[in-house]
Amino acid sequence: MPDRPYHHGDLRSTLLSSAERTLAQRGPGALSLRELAREAGVSHAAPGRHFKDKQALLDALALNGFRRLQASLERARAEQDHAGSDTGDYLLGLARAYVGFAMSNAALLELMYARKHDSDVSDQLAAAVGDMIAIVLDAISEGQRAGEIIEGDPTAIAFTVTSTLHGFASFSGDENTEDVDESLRNVVRLLMTGLSPR
Amino acid sequence: MPDRPYHHGDLRSTLLSSAERTLAQRGPGALSLRELAREAGVSHAAPGRHFKDKQALLDALALNGFRRLQASLERARAEQDHAGSDTGDYLLGLARAYVGFAMSNAALLELMYARKHDSDVSDQLAAAVGDMIAIVLDAISEGQRAGEIIEGDPTAIAFTVTSTLHGFASFSGDENTEDVDESLRNVVRLLMTGLSPR
DNA sequence: ACCTGAACACCGTTCAAGT
DNA sequence: ACCTGAACACCGTTCAAGT
């Protein structure tokens, strides 16, 4: 049982998790395939077997991020189904899931939305964004059926909500968590009531 | 009058505009100080006189971007002052300026909001975002005085509006301009009326 | 199937020296 | 004050060869 077997065994996922840690701790500029290989105890050419180039590794990280973000949103949805809460609370739950992910994975989120992915991967990423909006869309459609959301194209409404969440998440970089949550509740409430006096 | 005088004369701004063109046309990965130096007809070490390192050049690009974005928003504000339009139209004007800039400068906008700048520059960038929100804030405060915007902390309202604009701009990458404008009008209208039935 | 080692072309950065 | 040329350490990528 040598220290470094010739076959690493799990190099691909080792590289991915190592890359994500580096991304979070030291930023995208510190990501180097050669350093990842060194950390994995493998030659600098070994990553090439699992990722055709550096961009392929970044693509995999981004897709992975969307999978986890989506899972987090679905969890928020499941929790709301159990509670019998109204649409505003439902949206707040989704908002907290989105912003929570953004604050815990700021650098990854930036990579997820980066405009530098290969075009085929960009399509997959765009689809992932679509899936995300679809979750908000469900909440909106349910809210409309319950009479708690105005009538009108639910896709357009969901797009507005998701835009707000994403913009808010982008702005709430390294803020205090409590302040952010208070601000977020404010934002969701404003979205519901609107800016025009009634 | 030699082809390449020893002193370039305007190297700093030449590097900046060349960098911005490369950024827009070939993405951030294609940006190399050595290539910029080659394009400027100067040695590869010359950029070091004007930017202490590559990040310093990226910082300058980002700050420049915010200056232009802010100028564009102020132009939208000035236009609204001449017209006697209501707050919704005012906000739509600001929204068009923001989204227009975002669509014409997608890669630059990404750089402007990137979380990898030096901490002192990050402060300047955060201040630039603050200045931007302040323009929206003015619109909101005026709207409140005119009775066209609900009462409540105008900063919180401006923050919500700006979040929505930024999120929308992030999502509206390479879409058709007309579709985007229709979608944007929708978003601003939804922001004004709110999602709750009244 | 998976990895190594050498090789290649390209970086960013520094620094003595030139004009 | 501004730029050059050489030098250094570091990349990403490729490919014959090893196990």
Side-chain angles (χ1 to χ4, degrees):
Chain A
M1 198 154 129
D3 272 14
R4 291 186 201 169
Y6 188 80
H7 288 79
H8 179 283
D10 200 19
L11 185 54
R12 196 190 131 94
S13 67
T14 297
L15 291 170
L16 281 175
S17 57
S18 180
E20 192 168 330
R21 202 177 48 243
T22 301
L23 181 66
Q25 292 176 352
R26 295 159 55 210
L31 261 187
S32 128
L33 288 181
R34 289 177 101 112
E35 183 173 316
L36 294 174
R38 256 177 263 131
E39 285 175 16
V42 104
S43 90
H44 64 258
R49 291 288 126 187
H50 301 276
F51 301 100
K52 88 172 208 293
D53 55 21
K54 189 180 181 178
Q55 187 58 51
L57 181 136
L58 297 178
D59 292 346
L61 280 178
L63 287 167
N64 221 306
F66 270 116
R67 253 174 256 130
R68 275 153 43 204
L69 171 55
Q70 207 176 323
S72 165
L73 292 174
E74 306 246 5
R75 229 173 293 127
R77 161 150 74 178
E79 283 169 22
Q80 290 308 125
D81 282 351
H82 291 179
S85 56
D86 73 357
T87 304
D89 290 342
Y90 196 157
L91 288 180
L92 181 57
L94 291 176
R96 281 182 169 138
Y98 192 90
V99 173
F101 181 90
M103 293 188 70
S104 306
N105 305 273
L108 179 59
L109 193 79
E110 193 172 312
L111 177 63
M112 287 159 59
Y113 285 101
R115 300 172 180 284
K116 64 173 180 180
H117 298 277
D118 298 337
S119 70
D120 58 328
V121 179
S122 288
D123 292 349
Q124 289 180 258
L125 293 170
V129 174
D131 291 346
M132 232 174 52
I133 295 179
I135 295 179
V136 177
L137 177 61
D138 276 3
I140 297 298
S141 298
E142 284 181 32
Q144 286 182 325
R145 280 193 291 276
E148 295 177 1
I149 296 284
I150 55 170
E151 296 185 2
D153 179 10
T155 301
I157 300 177
F159 188 72
T160 301
V161 172
T162 312
S163 291
T164 306
L165 293 190
H166 181 60
F168 181 90
S170 299
F171 284 154
S172 304
D174 326 294
E175 304 283 332
N176 178 301
T177 308
E178 285 178 26
D179 293 351
V180 168
D181 194 67
E182 190 191 334
S183 184
L184 184 57
R185 274 179 279 134
N186 230 311
V187 165
V188 173
R189 197 171 42 71
L190 279 167
L191 263 185
M192 290 298 290
T193 61
L195 308 188
S196 292
R198 52 191 63 212
Chain B
M1 195 152 131
D3 273 13
R4 290 185 200 170
Y6 187 80
H7 288 78
H8 180 282
D10 201 18
L11 185 54
R12 195 190 131 95
S13 68
T14 299
L15 291 170
L16 280 175
S17 58
S18 179
E20 191 167 333
R21 202 177 51 245
T22 301
L23 182 66
Q25 290 175 353
R26 296 159 55 212
L31 262 186
S32 125
L33 288 179
R34 287 178 102 112
E35 184 174 315
L36 294 174
R38 256 176 263 131
E39 284 175 16
V42 102
S43 89
H44 64 258
R49 289 290 125 187
H50 301 277
F51 302 99
K52 89 171 206 294
D53 56 19
K54 189 178 182 180
Q55 187 57 49
L57 181 138
L58 297 178
D59 292 345
L61 280 177
L63 286 167
N64 222 307
F66 269 115
R67 253 173 255 127
R68 275 151 45 204
L69 172 54
Q70 206 176 323
S72 167
L73 292 175
E74 307 246 6
R75 230 174 291 127
R77 162 152 71 177
E79 283 169 23
Q80 290 307 126
D81 282 351
H82 291 178
S85 56
D86 71 358
T87 304
D89 289 342
Y90 196 158
L91 288 180
L92 181 58
L94 290 176
R96 280 181 168 140
Y98 193 92
V99 173
F101 181 90
M103 293 188 71
S104 305
N105 305 274
L108 179 59
L109 193 79
E110 194 172 313
L111 177 63
M112 287 158 59
Y113 284 103
R115 298 169 181 288
K116 64 173 179 180
H117 299 277
D118 298 337
S119 69
D120 59 328
V121 179
S122 288
D123 291 348
Q124 287 180 259
L125 293 170
V129 173
D131 290 347
M132 232 176 52
I133 295 179
I135 295 179
V136 177
L137 176 61
D138 276 2
I140 296 299
S141 298
E142 283 181 34
Q144 286 181 325
R145 282 192 290 275
E148 293 176 5
I149 295 285
I150 53 169
E151 298 184 2
D153 179 11
T155 302
I157 299 177
F159 188 71
T160 300
V161 172
T162 313
S163 291
T164 306
L165 292 190
H166 181 60
F168 181 90
S170 300
F171 284 155
S172 304
D174 326 294
E175 305 282 332
N176 178 300
T177 307
E178 285 179 27
D179 294 350
V180 168
D181 194 66
E182 191 192 335
S183 184
L184 184 57
R185 275 179 278 133
N186 230 312
V187 165
V188 173
R189 198 171 40 70
L190 278 168
L191 263 186
M192 290 299 289
T193 61
L195 308 188
S196 293
R198 50 191 64 213

